[in-house]
Amino acid sequence: MWSLGPVGFLAPWLLAGLVLLPVLWLILRAVPPAPLRRRFPGVALLLGLDDRDSQSDRTPWWLLLLRILAVAAAIIGFAGPVLNPSERPAPGTGPLLILADGTWADARDWPVRIARIETLLAEARRTGRPAAVVALTDPPEATRFDPAEAVLTGLPGLSPRPWEPDATALADWADGLEGRFETVWLSDGLARDSRAPLLDALEDHGPVRVIQTPRRILALRPPQIEDGAIAIEALRTPTGGAAEAGLVAHGLDPAGVERRLATATLSFAPGDAVAQVALNLPPELRNRVTRFEIEGQRSAAAVALTDDALRRREVGLVESRETREATELMSPLHYLRVALDPQADLVSGDLPALIPANPDVIVLADAGTLPPAEAEALQEWVASGGLLLRFAGPRLAASDAGRDGDDPLMPVRLRAGGRSVGGTMSWGEPKTIAPFEADSPFFGLPVPDDVTVRAQVVAQPGPDLASRVIAQLSDGTPLVTRRGLGEGQVVLVHVTANAEWSSLPLSGLFVSMLERLAISARTGDDATADLAGTSWRAVEVMDAEGRLMATDTRAAVPGEDLAEGDLGPELPPGLYEGEAGRFALNVTGPETTLAPARWPARIAIEGLDRPAERPLAGVLLAVAVALLALDALASLAVGGRLRGARAALAALALALPGPGAEAQQPVSPEARMDPQAEAFAQAATGSVVLGHILSGDARVDDIARQGLEGLGRTLWQRTSVEPAAPMAVDPETDELAFFPLLYWPITGDTPIPSAAAYDRLNAYLRGGGMIVFDTRDAGIAGFGTTTPEGRRLQAIARPLDIPPLSPVPEDHVLTRTFYLLQDFPGRHRGREVWVEAAPDEEPTPGMPFRNLNDNVTPVVIGGNDWAAAWAMDEVGMPRYPVGRGMAGERQREIAYRFGVNLVMHVLTGNYKSDQVHVPALLDRLGQ
């Protein structure tokens, strides 16, 4: 195919005929021949006579131009012009290997990639080429080339993964490739070190071409705590001008329902690849955040999960009468407040009041022997997971605490009286702090030379003393000791919390040590040490689209693997639970960067989205025919043979469309439908498919999908309806007519559809479709404005073509399409469920219901959260609780039955309103 700009020609050699147009001009110019001029005096007698048959002495120039244009249009039309021709390489004859990166970056346009793979396999099938499809995130042990039609059947099982390809696994896989083959590589557009070696290995086996479309890719780094605020960084590639992205913080409200807790805007400066935003949230709200995500980005890298490291710890400072009476600068609590306030929420009070508040840490500054009741309560609190941080002082040194026996609230036994060095009554010099050992939680902190200790309480020597020391002085005496108690810990600092015994509280080291002890924030330097020797179990794993799925079947993983963060099939991103709490393993890390993939100049690169081809031959040939018809009429007019009735008939012939005016121009397969829309249509029409309209809240949309999956499973088991997997529907872009029923969960932030979307929705309702609106607020809103969901439903429903509504009457067909029902609960037992109002007719005597066999109600409105009641996991178990005990399970069963009735109603209409069913219904009703 030869191309001229955006137009290609299937038979370009025919364009050589355009060279003959000047010759044609001369020929036409000579017809008719110019008349000979002869002077004849008798012609004067003909003056004034009307000659009805006139003939031009030469062809007018405009008529010549009309004929030249007609011939040129015919020549170009027969040359086969095509607008936006696809530059397809010549089909090969050997095996075809199709590679897909299959990472999280492919998730948002995965259906388009699958459609392109299907196109490649279809071309291979037509030419008889064997093929293989490989996802680089999950390379097989051996690559086998099969017939293309067999490979097509396995495409539904191909899906993206939330991790990047493993370089070692790819190298091993490439070493096992044999023979010659052509490779088509669908790239996700991101640069990584494994690309170049794999490309070299593939080129050793044959030609390689790449399919890659430039696009913006966004990702979130894990959130960090900086200056008391949550610092979040977003990445983008490629860089460009100024851009913004919305950030949403999701978490659980006090009722356990996931909500949008906060929003922010990420602003990228021109040319910058990183944008940062700081969120200052109240401690209560910050502790509820479970994840951050970039709004509108469907990928695992656009989601950043949170764990215990993000929580702002609550520290309880025990006040005694002595500390309250001391001056502020002499009080140990003053130094503790100054050191801890930027990093923790401080609560002060006596011990009996603090223990029921259940803080993360309780600090005892110079406390002696505790009353038995308080000591017992404090011991139980530590054993359940608390951290008791004690400081020495004159009262502790003078008391019997830790002297006799094994005191559970002291990490070591103490000598009586303590030790004084460097004072006026001492021969020694003040002691400095020794560098921290590698197994100490303080490892890595620099020790200032000017920090000295003048007095301390001394631990009794013993066989387990060395294992409990986590900081010591330069002479080897313990400075900080620690021991475990149940699930918690007891820590003793052998000096005072004020500057009475040492200069430690006056230094920055004091703040850092308290941060390591009381705040327990895991940093990159000590993450390996914190996780070493521990075992963690995945409780929620994330897929490539950023959705979390609960799991309890995966094997435990070592803490060292979590610290390294090498994602893969055995270590997917998600939330992991261990004895120390929860650990969030995200797709990206603090040092992750994004860069676009660069390919050598020798590699042919195609776009993923190709412009549709449009053949122009038919248009040009039609123009040529029209010009020739106009030429014929113009010739008659010039010759004087087109007058009166003939002129009227000619004008009418030009005005009427020709016999081929209604014919469609042949189009290429790519021009018929966008590949993504075509894949959507095929998936929605292969069988009965239930749809849910996107609410704008990822968690709510997940529940809707899970609910329709559970309802579909119930329909498979109990009816002859065998629905396929449900599909998410966007009324702004998707065709709605494919779905018999659409479930629309309403949130307080559900976006209002555009005018074009309302046109689709109204056409869907008029065409017999049903929309189930669910405000999920237990029906307390009704049609009022008492909840955000109710107010949003009013705003959404106002432009819709909805008929008058009424609560479901007792004899409505919904009460008997499959099951006999009088209640329609979901996760809630709400108030009325609203449907199209029935005509005001009285039932026929002896009949249990009115004959309402007219229309299917276009809308069902309620607030019972049906999807949460229908939702099932992979093995058919309920995902969310409903009610309590057996009564709750009965409520869930009625919810399933209502869902079955809904689907049967929309598929069969008011079939059960026919009077032929009266005897059977009366028998079931016991009447």
Side-chain angles (χ1 to χ4, degrees):
M1 178 182 292
W2 179 75
S3 296
L4 182 63
V7 180
F9 295 91
L10 299 177
W13 54 272
L14 288 176
L15 296 177
L18 297 176
V19 180
L20 302 177
L21 290 180
V23 179
L24 183 62
W25 174 279
L26 296 176
I27 294 176
L28 294 176
R29 185 71 174 171
V31 178
L36 297 176
R37 294 182 178 272
R38 296 286 187 269
R39 294 184 178 275
F40 181 57
V43 174
L45 300 175
L46 302 178
L47 295 176
L49 298 179
D50 185 12
D51 186 2
R52 295 183 179 181
D53 296 328
S54 61
Q55 184 176 3
S56 177
D57 61 345
R58 66 177 59 240
T59 305
W61 69 267
W62 55 268
L63 186 57
L64 286 176
L65 180 62
L66 189 66
R67 293 171 180 174
I68 293 296
L69 290 178
V71 175
I75 293 174
I76 297 175
F78 284 118
V82 179
L83 183 64
N84 298 322
S86 297
E87 295 295 335
R88 295 189 180 93
T93 57
L96 175 65
L97 175 62
I98 303 175
L99 296 184
D101 281 340
T103 66
W104 53 265
D106 288 339
R108 69 177 184 180
D109 56 0
W110 188 249
V112 179
R113 295 176 180 274
I114 290 295
R116 189 63 181 274
I117 293 175
E118 290 176 346
T119 301
L120 292 171
L121 291 175
E123 295 175 357
R125 181 175 57 182
R126 286 194 298 269
T127 56
R129 304 176 66 186
V133 177
V134 174
L136 297 183
T137 49
D138 190 16
E141 294 183 0
T143 302
R144 187 179 67 182
F145 292 94
D146 295 319
E149 54 269 19
V151 179
L152 273 169
T153 61
L155 281 187
L158 193 65
S159 61
R161 303 296 184 186
W163 54 78
E164 294 192 349
D166 180 73
T168 303
L170 288 184
D172 295 340
W173 170 75
D175 291 341
L177 296 174
E178 298 178 353
R180 299 286 298 176
F181 52 81
E182 179 189 3
T183 302
V184 178
W185 192 339
L186 278 76
S187 168
D188 62 3
L190 292 179
R192 56 181 61 95
D193 295 337
S194 61
R195 287 202 187 277
L198 181 59
L199 178 61
D200 294 339
L202 293 173
E203 287 187 301
D204 291 340
H205 296 275
V208 178
R209 54 189 173 105
V210 173
I211 297 177
Q212 176 179 300
T213 297
R215 55 191 177 136
R216 188 178 74 159
I217 300 177
L218 299 178
L220 281 180
R221 286 174 176 166
Q224 305 286 339
I225 301 297
E226 295 182 3
D227 299 329
I230 305 176
I232 304 174
E233 292 182 334
L235 310 173
R236 70 167 175 172
T237 185
T239 58
E244 292 185 347
L247 180 72
V248 182
H250 294 274
L252 303 179
D253 64 10
V257 179
E258 188 172 69
R259 304 284 186 185
R260 293 162 62 103
L261 301 183
T263 58
T265 300
L266 294 160
S267 299
F268 291 92
D272 285 355
V274 180
Q276 187 178 50
V277 66
L279 289 176
N280 288 288
L281 302 180
E284 173 66 20
L285 196 61
R286 189 177 85 174
N287 291 344
R288 293 186 178 276
V289 175
T290 57
R291 75 179 191 278
F292 296 93
E293 66 178 27
I294 301 177
E295 203 165 12
Q297 294 292 315
R298 194 176 63 182
S299 79
V303 177
L305 303 177
T306 65
D307 54 16
D308 294 341
L310 190 67
R311 293 181 58 238
R312 186 177 174 93
R313 298 296 192 264
E314 189 176 53
V315 178
L317 302 179
V318 179
E319 291 182 336
S320 61
R321 181 175 59 85
E322 292 80 2
T323 58
R324 286 192 292 266
E325 293 177 353
T327 60
E328 182 176 0
L329 293 180
M330 292 298 294
S331 171
L333 297 186
H334 168 72
Y335 293 86
L336 293 171
R337 288 192 180 98
V338 172
L340 292 173
D341 185 66
Q343 303 292 337
D345 299 319
L346 304 182
V347 181
S348 300
D350 56 8
L351 193 57
L354 285 179
I355 292 177
N358 195 29
D360 296 291
V361 183
I362 290 180
V363 181
L364 286 175
D366 192 17
T369 303
L370 300 176
E374 294 183 9
E376 183 179 357
L378 184 58
Q379 182 177 344
E380 292 179 357
W381 175 83
V382 174
S384 62
L387 172 64
L388 174 61
L389 178 58
R390 305 191 65 165
F391 284 85
R395 282 182 294 276
L396 178 61
S399 69
D400 295 332
R403 303 286 193 275
D404 302 326
D406 189 11
D407 186 351
L409 297 180
M410 295 293 291
V412 293
R413 295 181 62 188
L414 300 178
R415 290 181 180 180
R419 174 197 185 198
S420 177
V421 293
T424 57
M425 300 299 292
S426 173
W427 292 99
E429 295 291 334
K431 302 300 180 184
T432 58
I433 301 176
F436 302 113
E437 300 292 337
D439 58 350
S440 170
F442 310 129
F443 178 70
L445 294 179
V447 180
D449 296 334
D450 57 349
V451 175
T452 59
V453 174
R454 299 182 299 275
Q456 67 177 136
V457 292
V458 182
Q460 287 277 14
D464 54 357
L465 177 60
S467 63
R468 297 182 181 181
V469 175
I470 57 177
Q472 59 188 359
L473 299 180
S474 56
D475 62 355
T477 56
L479 175 64
V480 184
T481 53
R482 178 178 64 179
R483 68 173 292 188
L485 178 60
E487 296 182 2
Q489 293 180 342
V490 178
V491 179
L492 173 63
V493 182
H494 291 236
V495 296
T496 57
N498 58 13
E500 184 177 357
W501 285 11
S502 73
S503 62
L504 178 62
L506 302 176
S507 67
L509 178 61
F510 185 67
V511 178
S512 301
M513 292 175 67
L514 287 178
E515 183 180 352
R516 293 284 183 95
L517 284 175
I519 309 304
S520 300
R522 183 168 46 247
T523 64
D525 295 335
D526 63 348
T528 303
D530 288 345
L531 298 175
T534 60
S535 180
W536 299 76
R537 181 178 58 86
V539 293
E540 289 184 293
V541 295
M542 189 190 304
D543 65 7
E545 295 184 4
R547 296 181 302 219
L548 282 175
M549 296 169 289
T551 179
D552 56 2
T553 59
R554 303 186 70 91
V557 297
E560 292 83 354
D561 292 349
L562 284 181
E564 293 176 2
D566 293 333
L567 300 179
E570 303 301 327
L571 190 67
L575 285 176
Y576 291 78
E577 199 170 65
E579 295 181 357
R582 284 199 164 194
F583 185 93
L585 185 60
N586 289 295
V587 172
T588 62
E591 305 300 328
T592 299
T593 58
L594 298 181
R598 306 292 184 186
W599 300 92
R602 65 181 184 275
I603 301 299
I605 301 177
E606 306 175 18
L608 185 62
D609 299 321
R610 297 182 300 185
E613 290 185 356
R614 182 176 179 83
L616 301 178
V619 175
L620 289 173
L621 291 177
V623 169
V625 171
L627 292 176
L628 291 175
L630 188 60
D631 171 74
L633 295 178
S635 298
L636 293 175
V638 169
R641 293 188 293 274
L642 192 63
R643 297 178 181 179
R646 293 180 181 178
L649 289 176
L652 181 61
L654 286 176
L656 291 177
E662 299 298 326
Q664 295 288 335
Q665 291 294 330
V667 295
S668 63
E670 292 82 354
R672 294 193 186 107
M673 184 179 292
D674 178 73
Q676 187 171 4
E678 185 174 4
F680 180 88
Q682 291 176 352
T685 56
S687 58
V688 176
V689 177
L690 306 179
H692 64 93
I693 296 180
L694 295 173
S695 66
D697 188 313
R699 176 64 176 169
V700 173
D701 294 337
D702 283 344
I703 295 176
R705 174 184 55 82
Q706 295 164 359
L708 294 183
E709 287 176 352
L711 179 58
R713 185 188 293 263
T714 303
L715 290 165
W716 267 83
Q717 295 171 347
R718 305 186 185 187
T719 72
S720 59
V721 180
E722 299 178 351
M727 297 178 61
V729 180
D730 185 356
E732 301 289 344
T733 58
D734 296 334
E735 176 59 54
L736 307 182
F738 303 142
F739 305 94
L741 181 145
L742 291 174
Y743 178 79
W744 195 340
I746 303 297
T747 68
D749 299 320
T750 297
I752 302 296
S754 65
Y758 272 119
D759 291 340
R760 291 190 180 92
L761 290 167
N762 285 323
Y764 174 76
L765 294 175
R766 298 188 193 103
M770 175 190 289
I771 300 179
V772 180
F773 293 94
D774 191 351
T775 58
R776 306 173 302 107
D777 56 4
I780 61 175
F783 286 110
T785 58
T786 56
T787 66
E789 292 81 3
R791 291 190 291 270
R792 181 60 66 168
L793 174 60
Q794 281 191 334
I796 291 175
R798 191 173 292 116
L800 291 177
D801 187 10
I802 297 178
L805 303 177
S806 69
V808 178
E810 294 182 355
D811 60 347
H812 195 277
V813 70
L814 265 179
T815 64
R816 60 184 182 278
T817 48
F818 196 84
Y819 290 104
L820 298 179
L821 300 175
Q822 290 300 325
D823 192 16
F824 314 103
R827 192 167 65 92
H828 308 297
R829 282 188 175 273
R831 300 177 183 176
E832 298 93 347
V833 175
W834 296 75
V835 296
E836 181 181 3
D840 190 12
E841 297 180 2
E842 295 295 330
T844 305
M847 296 299 168
F849 48 78
R850 292 169 290 174
N851 183 13
L852 306 179
N853 192 20
D854 290 324
N855 297 313
V856 174
T857 176
V859 295
V860 175
I861 301 178
N864 293 342
D865 199 0
W866 290 298
W870 296 335
M872 295 182 183
D873 59 16
E874 293 78 4
V875 297
M877 297 300 293
R879 285 184 179 270
Y880 306 102
V882 173
R884 296 183 178 179
M886 294 304 297
E889 293 307 311
R890 177 62 181 172
Q891 180 177 334
R892 189 191 304 276
E893 171 60 25
I894 299 301
Y896 284 135
R897 295 185 180 188
F898 171 61
V900 172
N901 277 18
L902 270 178
V903 176
M904 299 303 290
H905 175 50
V906 75
L907 293 180
T908 64
N910 288 340
Y911 168 68
K912 281 296 182 72
S913 285
D914 290 338
Q915 302 302 315
V916 69
H917 299 286
V918 170
L921 291 172
L922 288 176
D923 181 64
R924 292 180 61 187
L925 290 170
Q927 299 180 5

